[in-house]
Protein backbone atom coordinates (compact mmCIF):
# COMPACT_ATOMS: atom_id res chain seq x y z
CA UNK A 1 0.00 0.00 0.00
CA UNK A 2 1.29 3.43 -0.96
CA UNK A 3 1.03 5.36 2.29
CA UNK A 4 -0.64 3.51 5.16
CA UNK A 5 -2.07 5.62 7.96
CA UNK A 6 -3.71 4.31 11.13
CA UNK A 7 -7.28 5.58 11.53
CA UNK A 8 -8.14 3.71 14.72
CA UNK A 9 -7.51 0.56 16.68
CA UNK A 10 -9.66 -1.21 19.24
CA UNK A 11 -7.84 -1.36 22.60
CA UNK A 12 -10.08 -4.22 23.80
CA UNK A 13 -9.12 -6.39 20.85
CA UNK A 14 -5.44 -5.47 21.15
CA UNK A 15 -5.61 -6.66 24.75
CA UNK A 16 -7.03 -10.02 23.67
CA UNK A 17 -3.96 -10.38 21.47
CA UNK A 18 -1.64 -9.40 24.34
CA UNK A 19 -0.72 -6.17 22.58
CA UNK A 20 -0.05 -3.06 24.66
CA UNK A 21 -1.42 0.32 23.64
CA UNK A 22 2.11 1.42 22.83
CA UNK A 23 2.44 -1.45 20.32
CA UNK A 24 -0.57 -0.25 18.40
CA UNK A 25 0.64 3.23 17.61
CA UNK A 26 3.98 2.23 16.11
CA UNK A 27 4.86 2.48 12.46
CA UNK A 28 5.43 -1.28 12.44
CA UNK A 29 1.82 -1.86 13.51
CA UNK A 30 0.47 0.26 10.66
CA UNK A 31 2.77 -1.51 8.20
CA UNK A 32 1.69 -4.97 9.33
CA UNK A 33 -2.01 -4.20 9.42
CA UNK A 34 -2.05 -2.58 6.02
CA UNK A 35 -0.49 -5.69 4.53
CA UNK A 36 2.91 -4.11 3.86
CA UNK A 37 4.94 -6.22 6.25
CA UNK A 38 4.85 -9.79 7.52
CA UNK A 39 6.09 -10.87 10.91
CA UNK A 40 8.04 -14.13 11.17
CA UNK A 41 5.55 -16.98 11.29
CA UNK A 42 2.83 -15.23 9.32
CA UNK A 43 1.76 -17.34 6.35
CA UNK A 44 -0.74 -15.36 4.27
CA UNK A 45 -3.51 -17.49 2.83
CA UNK A 46 -7.06 -17.20 1.55
CA UNK A 47 -9.94 -19.64 2.07
CA UNK A 48 -11.92 -21.29 -0.66
CA UNK A 49 -15.69 -21.36 -0.21
CA UNK A 50 -18.87 -21.28 -2.23
CA UNK A 51 -22.30 -20.03 -1.41
CA UNK A 52 -25.98 -19.59 -2.11
CA UNK A 53 -26.54 -15.95 -2.95
CA UNK A 54 -30.13 -14.66 -2.81
CA UNK A 55 -31.37 -18.24 -2.91
CA UNK A 56 -29.28 -19.48 -5.84
CA UNK A 57 -26.11 -21.53 -5.88
CA UNK A 58 -23.38 -19.12 -6.98
CA UNK A 59 -20.49 -21.57 -7.32
CA UNK A 60 -17.02 -20.88 -6.02
CA UNK A 61 -16.50 -17.56 -4.22
CA UNK A 62 -13.76 -17.63 -1.58
CA UNK A 63 -11.80 -14.92 0.19
CA UNK A 64 -11.61 -12.50 -2.72
CA UNK A 65 -10.12 -9.73 -0.64
CA UNK A 66 -9.43 -11.25 2.74
CA UNK A 67 -5.91 -12.36 3.54
CA UNK A 68 -5.43 -14.51 6.62
CA UNK A 69 -2.15 -13.79 8.35
CA UNK A 70 -2.28 -16.72 10.75
CA UNK A 71 -3.45 -17.37 14.29
CA UNK A 72 -2.35 -16.02 17.64
CA UNK A 73 -2.68 -18.05 20.82
CA UNK A 74 -2.81 -15.52 23.63
CA UNK A 75 -1.58 -15.85 27.19
CA UNK A 76 -4.95 -17.24 28.23
CA UNK A 77 -4.63 -19.97 25.62
CA UNK A 78 -7.32 -18.52 23.37
CA UNK A 79 -6.90 -18.86 19.63
CA UNK A 80 -7.53 -15.82 17.42
CA UNK A 81 -7.28 -15.72 13.64
CA UNK A 82 -6.10 -12.47 12.07
CA UNK A 83 -7.45 -11.49 8.69
CA UNK A 84 -6.82 -8.39 6.60
CA UNK A 85 -9.83 -7.34 4.55
CA UNK A 86 -9.03 -5.20 1.52
CA UNK A 87 -5.29 -5.90 1.32
CA UNK A 88 -5.23 -6.93 -2.34
CA UNK A 89 -5.67 -9.78 -4.78
CA UNK A 90 -5.99 -13.40 -3.72
CA UNK A 91 -6.49 -16.56 -5.81
CA UNK A 92 -10.25 -16.05 -5.26
CA UNK A 93 -10.53 -12.42 -6.34
CA UNK A 94 -12.32 -13.37 -9.59
CA UNK A 95 -13.01 -10.07 -11.36
CA UNK A 96 -12.58 -7.98 -8.19
CA UNK A 97 -9.57 -5.89 -7.24
CA UNK A 98 -9.13 -7.36 -3.74
CA UNK A 99 -9.48 -3.90 -2.23
CA UNK A 100 -11.95 -2.15 0.08
CA UNK A 101 -12.90 1.50 0.50
CA UNK A 102 -12.82 3.55 3.67
CA UNK A 103 -16.60 3.90 4.09
CA UNK A 104 -17.27 0.14 4.15
CA UNK A 105 -14.14 -0.65 6.19
CA UNK A 106 -15.03 1.96 8.78
CA UNK A 107 -18.55 0.54 9.01
CA UNK A 108 -17.17 -2.96 9.54
CA UNK A 109 -14.61 -1.80 12.10
CA UNK A 110 -17.08 0.14 14.24
CA UNK A 111 -20.00 -2.25 13.93
CA UNK A 112 -18.08 -5.39 14.87
CA UNK A 113 -17.01 -3.71 18.08
CA UNK A 114 -20.45 -2.20 18.74
CA UNK A 115 -22.05 -5.63 18.30
CA UNK A 116 -19.57 -7.30 20.61
CA UNK A 117 -20.31 -4.85 23.39
CA UNK A 118 -24.04 -5.29 22.82
CA UNK A 119 -23.46 -8.95 23.66
CA UNK A 120 -24.04 -10.17 20.11
CA UNK A 121 -21.67 -12.91 18.90
CA UNK A 122 -19.47 -11.43 16.18
CA UNK A 123 -16.08 -11.33 14.56
CA UNK A 124 -14.01 -8.52 16.06
CA UNK A 125 -11.86 -5.81 14.52
CA UNK A 126 -8.39 -4.81 15.67
CA UNK A 127 -7.52 -1.95 13.37
CA UNK A 128 -8.58 0.34 10.58
CA UNK A 129 -5.82 1.64 8.31
CA UNK A 130 -6.14 3.93 5.31
CA UNK A 131 -3.88 2.72 2.54
CA UNK A 132 -3.12 5.93 0.66
CA UNK A 133 -4.43 4.18 -2.48
CA UNK A 134 -7.42 5.34 -4.48
CA UNK A 135 -10.03 2.68 -5.20
CA UNK A 136 -12.63 3.04 -7.96
CA UNK A 137 -16.20 2.14 -7.00
CA UNK A 138 -19.64 2.55 -8.53
CA UNK A 139 -21.54 2.98 -5.27
CA UNK A 140 -25.03 2.29 -6.63
CA UNK A 141 -24.12 0.36 -9.78
CA UNK A 142 -25.56 3.18 -11.88
CA UNK A 143 -22.57 4.13 -13.99
CA UNK A 144 -21.34 6.78 -11.55
CA UNK A 145 -17.95 5.40 -10.66
CA UNK A 146 -15.59 7.49 -8.59
CA UNK A 147 -12.34 7.12 -6.72
CA UNK A 148 -12.49 6.71 -2.98
CA UNK A 149 -9.82 6.29 -0.30
CA UNK A 150 -8.82 2.66 0.22
CA UNK A 151 -8.63 1.02 3.65
CA UNK A 152 -7.85 -2.27 5.35
CA UNK A 153 -9.55 -3.70 8.44
CA UNK A 154 -7.87 -6.38 10.50
CA UNK A 155 -10.62 -8.78 11.53
CA UNK A 156 -10.05 -11.01 14.50
CA UNK A 157 -12.03 -14.15 15.15
CA UNK A 158 -11.76 -17.66 16.57
CA UNK A 159 -13.21 -18.87 13.25
CA UNK A 160 -13.79 -17.52 9.77
CA UNK A 161 -15.35 -20.75 8.47
CA UNK A 162 -18.66 -20.28 6.66
CA UNK A 163 -21.55 -22.56 5.71
CA UNK A 164 -20.29 -22.11 2.14
CA UNK A 165 -16.89 -23.54 3.15
CA UNK A 166 -18.63 -26.93 3.39
CA UNK A 167 -21.00 -26.45 0.49
CA UNK A 168 -18.19 -26.01 -2.03
CA UNK A 169 -16.67 -29.44 -1.33
CA UNK A 170 -20.04 -31.18 -1.23
CA UNK A 171 -20.96 -29.62 -4.57
CA UNK A 172 -17.68 -30.79 -6.07
CA UNK A 173 -18.32 -34.20 -4.59
CA UNK A 174 -14.92 -33.95 -2.89
CA UNK A 175 -15.98 -35.93 0.17
CA UNK A 176 -12.48 -36.41 1.47
CA UNK A 177 -11.81 -32.68 1.82
CA UNK A 178 -15.35 -32.18 3.15
CA UNK A 179 -14.70 -34.70 5.91
CA UNK A 180 -11.27 -33.26 6.71
CA UNK A 181 -12.75 -29.77 7.02
CA UNK A 182 -15.59 -31.04 9.23
CA UNK A 183 -13.17 -32.99 11.44
CA UNK A 184 -10.83 -30.03 11.69
CA UNK A 185 -13.67 -27.66 12.54
CA UNK A 186 -15.03 -29.94 15.25
CA UNK A 187 -11.61 -30.58 16.73
CA UNK A 188 -10.47 -26.96 16.77
CA UNK A 189 -13.67 -24.92 17.10
CA UNK A 190 -15.92 -27.37 18.97
CA UNK A 191 -13.42 -29.29 21.14
CA UNK A 192 -16.08 -30.41 23.63
CA UNK A 193 -17.45 -32.79 21.01
CA UNK A 194 -14.31 -34.96 21.01
CA UNK A 195 -12.70 -36.34 17.90
CA UNK A 196 -15.04 -39.17 17.09
CA UNK A 197 -17.97 -41.06 18.50
CA UNK A 198 -21.46 -41.91 17.38
CA UNK A 199 -23.45 -39.19 15.69
CA UNK A 200 -20.51 -36.81 15.91
CA UNK A 201 -21.53 -34.86 12.81
CA UNK A 202 -25.21 -34.67 13.65
CA UNK A 203 -24.55 -33.57 17.23
CA UNK A 204 -22.25 -30.88 15.88
CA UNK A 205 -24.85 -29.80 13.31
CA UNK A 206 -27.41 -29.48 16.12
CA UNK A 207 -24.97 -27.22 17.96
CA UNK A 208 -24.55 -25.03 14.87
CA UNK A 209 -28.37 -24.80 14.70
CA UNK A 210 -28.50 -23.83 18.36
CA UNK A 211 -25.88 -21.10 17.98
CA UNK A 212 -27.52 -19.75 14.86
CA UNK A 213 -30.86 -19.54 16.67
CA UNK A 214 -29.18 -17.59 19.48
CA UNK A 215 -27.59 -15.23 16.98
CA UNK A 216 -30.92 -14.53 15.28
CA UNK A 217 -32.57 -13.74 18.61
CA UNK A 218 -29.81 -11.22 19.34
CA UNK A 219 -30.21 -9.55 15.95
CA UNK A 220 -33.95 -9.26 16.49
CA UNK A 221 -33.42 -7.91 20.00
CA UNK A 222 -31.17 -5.04 18.96
CA UNK A 223 -32.79 -4.29 15.59
CA UNK A 224 -29.84 -5.34 13.43
CA UNK A 225 -30.38 -6.20 9.76
CA UNK A 226 -27.45 -7.98 8.15
CA UNK A 227 -28.53 -7.25 4.60
CA UNK A 228 -26.72 -10.11 2.79
CA UNK A 229 -27.48 -13.39 4.54
CA UNK A 230 -26.01 -15.51 1.78
CA UNK A 231 -24.63 -18.86 2.94
CA UNK A 232 -21.10 -17.60 2.34
CA UNK A 233 -21.80 -14.91 4.95
CA UNK A 234 -23.00 -17.38 7.62
CA UNK A 235 -20.47 -18.35 10.28
CA UNK A 236 -20.24 -21.99 11.36
CA UNK A 237 -19.34 -20.63 14.79
CA UNK A 238 -22.58 -18.65 15.11
CA UNK A 239 -20.97 -15.24 14.73
CA UNK A 240 -22.09 -12.17 12.87
CA UNK A 241 -19.69 -12.08 9.93
CA UNK A 242 -19.13 -9.90 6.85
CA UNK A 243 -20.46 -6.46 7.58
CA UNK A 244 -21.61 -5.08 4.24
CA UNK A 245 -24.85 -3.20 3.58
CA UNK A 246 -26.12 -3.87 7.10
CA UNK A 247 -28.34 -1.44 8.95
CA UNK A 248 -30.17 -0.76 12.19
CA UNK A 249 -33.90 -0.38 12.41
CA UNK A 250 -34.63 3.19 13.33
CA UNK A 251 -38.34 3.58 12.67
CA UNK A 252 -39.71 0.12 13.55
CA UNK A 253 -40.46 -1.44 10.18
CA UNK A 254 -40.13 -5.23 10.13
CA UNK A 255 -40.09 -5.18 6.31
CA UNK A 256 -37.07 -2.90 6.08
CA UNK A 257 -33.88 -3.96 4.34
CA UNK A 258 -30.89 -1.64 4.09
CA UNK A 259 -29.54 -3.35 0.97
CA UNK A 260 -30.72 -1.67 -2.27
CA UNK A 261 -30.08 -4.91 -4.20
CA UNK A 262 -32.52 -6.63 -1.85
CA UNK A 263 -35.33 -4.08 -1.97
CA UNK A 264 -37.33 -5.76 -4.78
CA UNK A 265 -37.74 -9.12 -2.95
CA UNK A 266 -36.92 -8.13 0.60
CA UNK A 267 -35.41 -11.55 1.14
CA UNK A 268 -33.09 -10.28 3.86
CA UNK A 269 -35.48 -7.84 5.54
CA UNK A 270 -35.50 -7.62 9.33
CA UNK A 271 -38.44 -9.90 10.03
CA UNK A 272 -37.29 -12.53 7.54
CA UNK A 273 -33.88 -13.15 9.09
CA UNK A 274 -34.82 -16.07 11.36
CA UNK A 275 -36.48 -17.87 8.41
CA UNK A 276 -33.51 -17.24 6.15
CA UNK A 277 -31.14 -18.60 8.78
CA UNK A 278 -33.21 -21.79 8.76
CA UNK A 279 -33.03 -21.96 4.96
CA UNK A 280 -29.27 -21.49 5.15
CA UNK A 281 -28.98 -24.24 7.77
CA UNK A 282 -30.89 -26.52 5.42
CA UNK A 283 -28.26 -25.83 2.74
CA UNK A 284 -25.55 -26.67 5.26
CA UNK A 285 -27.41 -29.89 6.12
CA UNK A 286 -27.46 -30.81 2.43
CA UNK A 287 -23.73 -30.26 2.24
CA UNK A 288 -23.03 -32.40 5.32
CA UNK A 289 -25.47 -35.14 4.36
CA UNK A 290 -22.85 -37.33 2.60
CA UNK A 291 -20.91 -37.54 5.89
CA UNK A 292 -23.88 -39.07 7.68
CA UNK A 293 -25.92 -40.70 4.95
CA UNK A 294 -29.28 -40.20 6.69
CA UNK A 295 -31.54 -37.19 6.61
CA UNK A 296 -33.28 -37.73 9.98
CA UNK A 297 -30.59 -36.29 12.23
CA UNK A 298 -30.52 -33.15 10.12
CA UNK A 299 -34.28 -32.84 10.15
CA UNK A 300 -34.13 -33.05 13.92
CA UNK A 301 -31.48 -30.33 14.01
CA UNK A 302 -33.59 -28.05 11.85
CA UNK A 303 -36.69 -28.67 13.98
CA UNK A 304 -34.65 -27.91 17.04
CA UNK A 305 -33.60 -24.63 15.45
CA UNK A 306 -37.23 -23.56 15.11
CA UNK A 307 -38.19 -24.66 18.61
CA UNK A 308 -35.12 -23.08 20.15
CA UNK A 309 -35.58 -19.84 18.23
CA UNK A 310 -39.18 -19.58 19.39
CA UNK A 311 -38.36 -20.31 23.00
CA UNK A 312 -35.42 -17.90 23.10
CA UNK A 313 -37.34 -15.19 21.26
CA UNK A 314 -40.06 -15.38 23.90
CA UNK A 315 -37.54 -15.16 26.69
CA UNK A 316 -35.89 -12.21 24.98
CA UNK A 317 -39.20 -10.37 24.54
CA UNK A 318 -40.06 -10.96 28.19
CA UNK A 319 -36.74 -9.37 29.14
CA UNK A 320 -37.23 -6.44 26.81
CA UNK A 321 -40.56 -5.84 28.49
CA UNK A 322 -39.17 -6.41 31.98
CA UNK A 323 -41.31 -9.47 32.68
CA UNK A 324 -40.08 -12.36 34.78
CA UNK A 325 -41.34 -14.88 32.25
CA UNK A 326 -43.10 -15.07 28.95
CA UNK A 327 -46.61 -16.32 29.66
CA UNK A 328 -48.05 -17.40 26.30
CA UNK A 329 -51.59 -17.01 27.65
CA UNK A 330 -51.22 -13.25 27.90
CA UNK A 331 -47.94 -12.38 26.22
CA UNK A 332 -48.55 -13.73 22.74
CA UNK A 333 -51.37 -11.21 22.38
CA UNK A 334 -49.37 -8.52 24.16
CA UNK A 335 -46.39 -8.83 21.78
CA UNK A 336 -48.57 -9.11 18.66
CA UNK A 337 -50.39 -5.96 19.70
CA UNK A 338 -47.06 -4.28 20.45
CA UNK A 339 -45.85 -5.06 16.92
CA UNK A 340 -49.02 -3.48 15.53
CA UNK A 341 -48.78 -0.49 17.82
CA UNK A 342 -45.16 0.22 16.85
CA UNK A 343 -46.24 0.49 13.22
CA UNK A 344 -49.07 2.98 13.78
CA UNK A 345 -46.67 5.84 13.23
CA UNK A 346 -42.91 5.86 12.67
CA UNK A 347 -41.51 4.83 16.06
CA UNK A 348 -37.82 4.52 16.87
CA UNK A 349 -37.31 0.95 18.06
CA UNK A 350 -34.25 1.61 20.22
CA UNK A 351 -35.63 4.71 21.92
CA UNK A 352 -39.06 3.16 22.43
CA UNK A 353 -37.78 0.14 24.35
CA UNK A 354 -35.24 2.15 26.29
CA UNK A 355 -37.89 4.66 27.38
CA UNK A 356 -40.45 2.00 28.17
CA UNK A 357 -38.43 1.28 31.31
CA UNK A 358 -39.19 4.85 32.47
CA UNK A 359 -42.94 4.42 32.21
CA UNK A 360 -44.78 5.61 35.29
CA UNK A 361 -46.70 2.62 36.59
CA UNK A 362 -49.41 4.50 38.54
CA UNK A 363 -52.80 3.75 37.08
CA UNK A 364 -54.54 7.11 37.34
CA UNK A 365 -52.76 8.85 34.47
CA UNK A 366 -54.23 10.61 31.49
CA UNK A 367 -53.14 9.48 28.00
CA UNK A 368 -51.04 12.63 27.84
CA UNK A 369 -49.12 11.77 31.01
CA UNK A 370 -48.72 8.14 30.10
CA UNK A 371 -47.19 8.95 26.74
CA UNK A 372 -44.77 11.64 27.96
CA UNK A 373 -41.70 9.41 28.61
CA UNK A 374 -42.04 7.91 25.12
CA UNK A 375 -42.39 11.07 23.04
CA UNK A 376 -38.73 11.05 21.94
CA UNK A 377 -39.36 7.85 20.02
CA UNK A 378 -41.76 9.39 17.51
CA UNK A 379 -40.51 10.75 14.20
CA UNK A 380 -43.74 12.46 13.11
CA UNK A 381 -45.33 14.12 16.15
CA UNK A 382 -48.11 15.49 13.90
CA UNK A 383 -49.18 11.90 13.25
CA UNK A 384 -49.88 11.38 16.93
CA UNK A 385 -53.56 12.15 16.47
CA UNK A 386 -56.05 11.61 19.25
CA UNK A 387 -56.91 8.26 17.73
CA UNK A 388 -53.30 7.10 17.39
CA UNK A 389 -52.53 8.22 20.93
CA UNK A 390 -55.56 6.32 22.14
CA UNK A 391 -54.35 3.10 20.49
CA UNK A 392 -50.81 3.50 21.83
CA UNK A 393 -52.14 4.18 25.32
CA UNK A 394 -54.47 1.24 25.12
CA UNK A 395 -51.43 -1.01 24.63
CA UNK A 396 -49.52 0.81 27.36
CA UNK A 397 -52.38 0.25 29.78
CA UNK A 398 -52.52 -3.48 29.07
CA UNK A 399 -48.75 -3.55 29.52
CA UNK A 400 -49.03 -1.76 32.87
CA UNK A 401 -51.67 -4.24 33.92
CA UNK A 402 -49.36 -7.10 32.92
CA UNK A 403 -46.41 -5.75 34.92
CA UNK A 404 -48.70 -5.15 37.88
CA UNK A 405 -49.73 -8.82 37.72
CA UNK A 406 -46.08 -9.79 37.36
CA UNK A 407 -45.52 -8.09 40.71
CA UNK A 408 -41.87 -7.33 40.20
CA UNK A 409 -40.11 -4.54 42.05
CA UNK A 410 -40.06 -1.55 39.63
CA UNK A 411 -36.34 -0.90 40.13
CA UNK A 412 -35.52 -4.53 39.32
CA UNK A 413 -37.72 -4.38 36.25
CA UNK A 414 -36.00 -1.25 35.05
CA UNK A 415 -32.58 -2.80 35.57
CA UNK A 416 -33.40 -5.91 33.53
CA UNK A 417 -34.86 -3.82 30.75
CA UNK A 418 -31.87 -1.50 30.59
CA UNK A 419 -29.56 -4.50 30.39
CA UNK A 420 -31.15 -5.77 27.17
CA UNK A 421 -32.51 -2.58 25.57
CA UNK A 422 -29.47 -0.58 24.46
CA UNK A 423 -29.32 3.17 24.71
CA UNK A 424 -26.66 3.43 21.98
CA UNK A 425 -26.52 1.52 18.72
CA UNK A 426 -24.39 2.34 15.70
CA UNK A 427 -27.15 4.15 13.86
CA UNK A 428 -26.59 4.33 10.13
CA UNK A 429 -26.29 8.10 10.17
CA UNK A 430 -23.70 8.05 12.98
CA UNK A 431 -21.45 5.77 10.95
CA UNK A 432 -21.99 8.03 7.94
CA UNK A 433 -20.97 11.13 9.90
CA UNK A 434 -17.79 9.34 11.01
CA UNK A 435 -17.13 8.41 7.36
CA UNK A 436 -17.63 11.98 6.12
CA UNK A 437 -15.19 13.28 8.71
CA UNK A 438 -12.64 10.51 8.19
CA UNK A 439 -12.65 11.13 4.44
CA UNK A 440 -11.75 14.73 5.29
CA UNK A 441 -8.87 13.53 7.47
CA UNK A 442 -10.53 13.85 10.88
CA UNK A 443 -10.63 10.53 12.76
CA UNK A 444 -11.95 11.87 16.05
CA UNK A 445 -15.55 10.75 15.54
CA UNK A 446 -14.49 7.18 14.71
CA UNK A 447 -12.65 7.02 17.98
CA UNK A 448 -15.43 8.72 19.91
CA UNK A 449 -18.05 6.30 18.55
CA UNK A 450 -15.79 3.35 19.32
CA UNK A 451 -15.62 4.55 22.92
CA UNK A 452 -19.36 5.28 23.31
CA UNK A 453 -20.34 1.91 21.82
CA UNK A 454 -18.23 0.11 24.43
CA UNK A 455 -21.01 0.73 26.96
CA UNK A 456 -24.22 0.65 25.01
CA UNK A 457 -26.43 -0.08 28.02
CA UNK A 458 -25.05 2.68 30.24
CA UNK A 459 -26.43 6.20 30.20
CA UNK A 460 -23.57 8.46 29.19
CA UNK A 461 -24.89 11.99 29.80
CA UNK A 462 -21.95 13.58 27.94
CA UNK A 463 -22.80 11.53 24.89
CA UNK A 464 -26.53 12.12 24.72
CA UNK A 465 -26.18 13.23 21.07
CA UNK A 466 -25.33 9.66 20.06
CA UNK A 467 -28.65 8.39 21.40
CA UNK A 468 -30.82 10.73 19.31
CA UNK A 469 -33.09 9.45 16.61
CA UNK A 470 -32.07 9.83 12.99
CA UNK A 471 -32.15 13.49 11.89
CA UNK A 472 -34.24 14.41 8.84
CA UNK A 473 -31.20 15.06 6.62
CA UNK A 474 -30.30 11.38 6.92
CA UNK A 475 -33.72 10.07 5.91
CA UNK A 476 -32.87 9.65 2.23
CA UNK A 477 -29.13 10.16 2.22
CA UNK A 478 -27.23 7.21 0.66
CA UNK A 479 -25.26 5.41 3.35
CA UNK A 480 -27.85 6.35 5.99
CA UNK A 481 -31.03 4.90 4.56
CA UNK A 482 -29.82 2.81 1.63
CA UNK A 483 -26.62 0.93 1.00
CA UNK A 484 -25.30 -1.40 -1.64
CA UNK A 485 -22.82 -4.24 -1.76
CA UNK A 486 -20.33 -1.95 -3.50
CA UNK A 487 -17.57 -1.70 -0.97
P1 LIG B 1 -19.79 -10.16 -0.14
O1 LIG B 1 -21.04 -9.85 -0.87
O2 LIG B 1 -19.01 -8.95 0.32
O3 LIG B 1 -19.98 -11.15 0.96
O4 LIG B 1 -18.80 -10.83 -1.20
C1 LIG B 1 -19.13 -11.95 -2.00
C2 LIG B 1 -17.89 -12.49 -2.64
O5 LIG B 1 -17.26 -11.51 -3.47
C3 LIG B 1 -16.82 -12.94 -1.66
O6 LIG B 1 -16.23 -14.08 -2.18
C4 LIG B 1 -15.86 -11.78 -1.63
O7 LIG B 1 -14.57 -12.17 -1.27
C5 LIG B 1 -15.91 -11.30 -3.08
N1 LIG B 1 -15.55 -9.88 -3.22
C6 LIG B 1 -16.27 -8.80 -2.82
N2 LIG B 1 -15.62 -7.67 -3.12
C7 LIG B 1 -14.46 -8.02 -3.72
C8 LIG B 1 -13.36 -7.29 -4.27
N3 LIG B 1 -13.31 -5.96 -4.26
N4 LIG B 1 -12.34 -8.01 -4.81
C9 LIG B 1 -12.37 -9.33 -4.84
N5 LIG B 1 -13.38 -10.08 -4.35
C10 LIG B 1 -14.42 -9.44 -3.79
MG1 LIG C 1 -18.94 -12.19 2.19
Amino acid sequence: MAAPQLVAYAPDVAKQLDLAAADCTTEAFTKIFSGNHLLPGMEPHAFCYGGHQFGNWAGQLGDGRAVNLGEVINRRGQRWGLQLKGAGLTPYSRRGDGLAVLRSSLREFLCSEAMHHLGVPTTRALSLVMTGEQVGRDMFYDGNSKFEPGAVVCRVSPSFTRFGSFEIFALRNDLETLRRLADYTIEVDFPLFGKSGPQLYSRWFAEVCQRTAELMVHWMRVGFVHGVMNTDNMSIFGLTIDYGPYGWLEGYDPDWTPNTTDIPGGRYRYCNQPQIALWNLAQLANALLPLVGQTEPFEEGLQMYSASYQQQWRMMMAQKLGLQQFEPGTDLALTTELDRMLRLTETDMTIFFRCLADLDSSNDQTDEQLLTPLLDAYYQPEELTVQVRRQICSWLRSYLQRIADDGRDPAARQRTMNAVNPKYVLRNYLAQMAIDRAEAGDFSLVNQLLEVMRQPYTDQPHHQQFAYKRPEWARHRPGCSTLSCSS
Side-chain angles (χ1 to χ4, degrees):
M1 298 301 173
Q5 183 187 9
L6 183 69
V7 175
Y9 75 94
D12 299 314
V13 181
K15 216 165 153 188
Q16 291 287 354
L17 302 173
D18 301 329
L19 290 172
D23 297 326
C24 302
T25 47
T26 59
E27 213 185 305
F29 182 91
T30 304
K31 265 176 146 172
I32 294 163
F33 294 108
S34 60
N36 275 1
H37 180 69
L38 291 175
L39 287 176
M42 284 180 171
E43 290 179 21
H45 58 280
F47 293 129
C48 180
Y49 53 77
H52 278 86
Q53 299 185 320
F54 292 91
N56 303 304
W57 175 244
Q60 179 180 299
L61 303 166
D63 287 332
R65 53 170 169 174
V67 178
N68 298 276
L69 295 176
E71 291 172 340
V72 171
I73 298 188
N74 69 9
R75 286 193 204 114
R76 288 196 280 160
Q78 296 165 324
R79 174 193 293 262
W80 294 103
L82 303 182
Q83 186 179 78
L84 301 184
K85 183 169 176 180
L89 294 174
T90 80
Y92 305 106
S93 295
R94 297 178 291 153
R95 277 165 301 166
D97 54 12
L99 302 174
V101 293
L102 179 62
R103 62 180 153 82
S104 65
S105 308
L106 191 153
R107 281 166 49 83
E108 169 136 19
F109 174 77
L110 281 183
C111 200
S112 343
E113 288 309 289
M115 291 283 267
H116 168 76
H117 293 291
L118 282 166
V120 183
T122 178
T123 60
R124 308 286 303 269
L126 170 66
S127 55
L128 173 63
V129 175
M130 273 170 86
T131 60
E133 309 267 343
Q134 293 291 305
V135 177
R137 286 290 182 270
D138 182 353
M139 189 167 162
F140 283 104
Y141 307 120
D142 57 4
N144 289 312
S145 196
K146 63 169 197 160
F147 281 101
E148 299 185 46
V152 173
V153 175
C154 178
R155 305 201 283 195
V156 176
S157 176
S159 159
F160 289 108
T161 311
R162 298 136 192 277
F163 290 9
S165 311
F166 299 90
E167 288 178 279
I168 187 74
F169 298 113
L171 260 290
R172 286 184 190 163
N173 209 19
D174 178 356
L175 300 190
E176 196 198 317
T177 311
L178 177 66
R179 187 177 300 274
R180 281 178 64 194
L181 179 63
D183 289 346
Y184 176 84
T185 304
I186 296 171
E187 185 180 334
V188 173
D189 297 330
F190 297 82
L192 294 177
F193 283 77
K195 285 190 184 178
S196 56
Q199 290 107 40
L200 177 65
Y201 298 121
S202 16
R203 282 189 293 125
W204 164 57
F205 177 73
E207 172 68 16
V208 176
C209 290
Q210 177 64 32
R211 288 193 190 193
T212 307
E214 263 168 51
L215 181 65
M216 290 307 113
V217 172
H218 278 297
W219 287 3
M220 300 311 274
R221 170 174 67 84
V222 298
F224 177 79
V225 192
H226 183 285
V228 208
M229 287 178 71
N230 295 332
T231 55
D232 50 298
N233 291 336
M234 295 290 293
S235 149
I236 201 76
F237 209 66
L239 306 173
T240 312
I241 193 169
D242 275 16
Y243 291 87
Y246 68 82
W248 295 84
L249 280 194
E250 290 181 305
Y252 178 80
D253 174 4
D255 292 322
W256 184 69
T257 175
N259 182 356
T260 44
T261 317
D262 189 35
I263 286 173
R267 181 178 173 88
Y268 298 143
R269 63 190 191 271
Y270 172 75
C271 64
N272 233 19
Q273 299 187 113
Q275 269 307 109
I276 291 293
L278 177 63
W279 191 89
N280 288 340
L281 285 164
Q283 305 315 310
L284 177 63
N286 267 332
L288 299 177
L289 184 59
L291 301 181
V292 176
Q294 292 169 312
T295 55
E296 290 79 6
F298 292 110
E299 280 157 16
E300 275 167 32
L302 296 173
Q303 273 159 18
M304 200 206 61
Y305 168 87
S306 302
S308 169
Y309 176 78
Q310 187 193 67
Q311 190 217 350
Q312 292 184 69
W313 182 87
R314 289 179 176 188
M315 220 153 67
M316 176 273 282
M317 281 311 289
Q319 286 171 343
K320 276 183 94 67
L321 295 173
L323 304 171
Q324 304 192 62
Q325 282 186 51
F326 189 94
E327 302 286 356
T330 50
D331 300 340
L332 281 174
L334 189 72
T335 49
T336 306
E337 281 305 305
L338 170 63
D339 180 79
R340 227 165 56 95
M341 183 270 263
L342 289 173
R343 299 189 212 197
L344 286 171
T345 173
E346 194 176 11
T347 311
D348 191 274
M349 175 179 171
T350 305
I351 299 177
F352 177 87
F353 278 102
R354 186 73 184 188
C355 292
L356 196 60
D358 301 331
L359 209 61
D360 180 349
S361 55
S362 54
N363 55 10
D364 53 355
Q365 303 174 74
T366 62
D367 281 5
E368 204 66 31
Q369 290 166 322
L370 193 56
L371 207 52
T372 303
L374 295 170
L375 286 178
D376 273 350
Y378 296 101
Y379 280 90
Q380 321 276 1
E382 71 283 0
E383 281 183 23
L384 290 173
T385 57
V386 175
Q387 213 198 358
V388 169
R389 282 168 191 261
R390 198 175 297 141
Q391 291 181 67
I392 298 172
C393 289
S394 152
W395 184 86
L396 291 174
R397 288 184 207 285
S398 37
Y399 171 62
L400 286 179
Q401 185 57 54
R402 175 68 180 90
I403 55 178
D405 295 343
D406 201 45
R408 196 179 208 179
D409 165 52
R413 175 174 61 86
Q414 200 168 34
R415 264 200 311 277
T416 336
M417 293 175 78
N418 286 346
V420 293
N421 296 322
K423 168 125 182 181
Y424 307 94
V425 295
L426 187 68
R427 292 169 179 276
N428 312 315
Y429 84 89
L430 292 176
Q432 187 58 46
M433 288 191 337
I435 293 166
D436 292 343
R437 296 232 201 132
E439 286 181 344
D442 171 5
F443 307 145
S444 57
L445 190 52
V446 185
N447 283 292
Q448 215 177 353
L449 285 172
L450 183 67
E451 190 53 32
V452 172
M453 300 300 155
R454 287 180 72 217
Q455 292 186 296
Y457 300 103
T458 308
D459 284 315
Q460 303 173 44
H462 302 311
H463 294 310
Q464 188 57 31
Q465 76 271 29
F466 298 121
Y468 290 152
K469 59 178 174 266
R470 180 200 57 223
E472 272 314 298
W473 62 259
R475 181 180 288 277
H476 300 295
R477 166 120 194 248
C480 299
S481 52
T482 49
L483 291 131
S484 79
C485 290
S486 160
S487 55

